[in-house]
């Protein structure tokens, strides 16, 4: 029962995170700036030295991360593989630590907040919470 609820929810969250990361990757590789609306923090974050690691856009790492989480969520949902749930939980925990660091950089180093980055971070935390609930509830 818990798998039928947590699986689709976790997969949807991972898919949303994948879409956000893919958008940011495409924009970065095109040399453009993300649409940020009236907030304007996205441009500052996208142009900062912290938007890449060794020339690789962080958003591309987000695509790989979200794709892996999506696979784990789908395997948990469709096959009931507890190892996939545990892998998603562990990966999510690592993701939370990384986005916490990136959020720190936004707030205290770059002095700008990107709404796309916040949305991505929310998907990571929410997906991890879904996994945590499933682990506590599943036999």
């Amino acid at each position: 029962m818990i798998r039928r609820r947590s699986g689709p929810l976790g997969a949807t969250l991972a898919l949303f995170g994948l879409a956000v990361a893919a958008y940011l990757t495409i924009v970065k590789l095109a040399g453009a700036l993300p649409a940020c609306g009236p907030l304007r923090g996205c441009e500052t974050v996208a142009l900062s030295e912290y938007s890449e690691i060794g020339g690789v856009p962080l958003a591309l790492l987000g695509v790989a991360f979200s794709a892996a989480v999506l696979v784990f969520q789908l395997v948990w949902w469709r096959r009931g593989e507890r190892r996939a749930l545990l892998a998603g939980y562990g990966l999510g925990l690592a993701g939370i630590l990384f986005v916490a660091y990136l959020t720190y950089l936004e707030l205290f180093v770059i002095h700008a907040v990107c709404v796309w980055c916040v949305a991505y971070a929310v998907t990571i935390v929410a997906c991890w919470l879904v996994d945590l609930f499933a682990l506590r509830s599943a036999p």
Side-chain angles (χ1 to χ4, degrees):
M1 181 68 152
I2 192 69
R3 192 174 89 214
R4 288 189 305 190
R5 291 183 184 155
S6 69
L9 180 57
T12 301
L13 288 166
L15 191 58
F16 182 73
L18 181 61
V20 170
Y23 167 72
L24 291 173
T25 299
I26 291 166
V27 168
K28 182 74 172 177
L29 293 176
L33 294 173
C36 202
L39 301 176
R40 300 283 177 238
C42 299
E43 294 90 352
T44 306
V45 173
L47 293 172
S48 78
E49 64 184 283
Y50 300 101
S51 67
E52 297 179 354
I53 295 179
V56 176
L58 279 181
L60 184 58
L61 299 177
V63 167
F65 178 88
S66 292
V69 170
L70 179 59
V71 167
F72 291 136
Q73 293 297 326
L74 291 173
V75 170
W76 159 244
W77 176 24
R78 303 308 294 164
R79 294 188 184 165
E81 293 269 346
R82 189 167 173 84
R83 290 177 297 179
L85 180 59
L86 287 168
Y89 172 83
L91 194 58
L93 188 56
I96 286 173
L97 295 175
F98 194 64
V99 296
Y101 170 69
L102 295 175
T103 301
Y104 166 81
L105 289 176
E106 284 184 316
L107 294 173
F108 300 108
V109 177
I110 303 169
H111 302 289
V113 175
C114 170
V115 294
W116 292 102
C117 302
V118 171
Y120 184 75
V122 167
T123 65
I124 290 174
V125 172
C127 199
W128 179 79
L129 288 172
V130 168
D131 286 349
L132 175 64
F133 177 74
L135 278 171
R136 293 180 55 113
S137 302

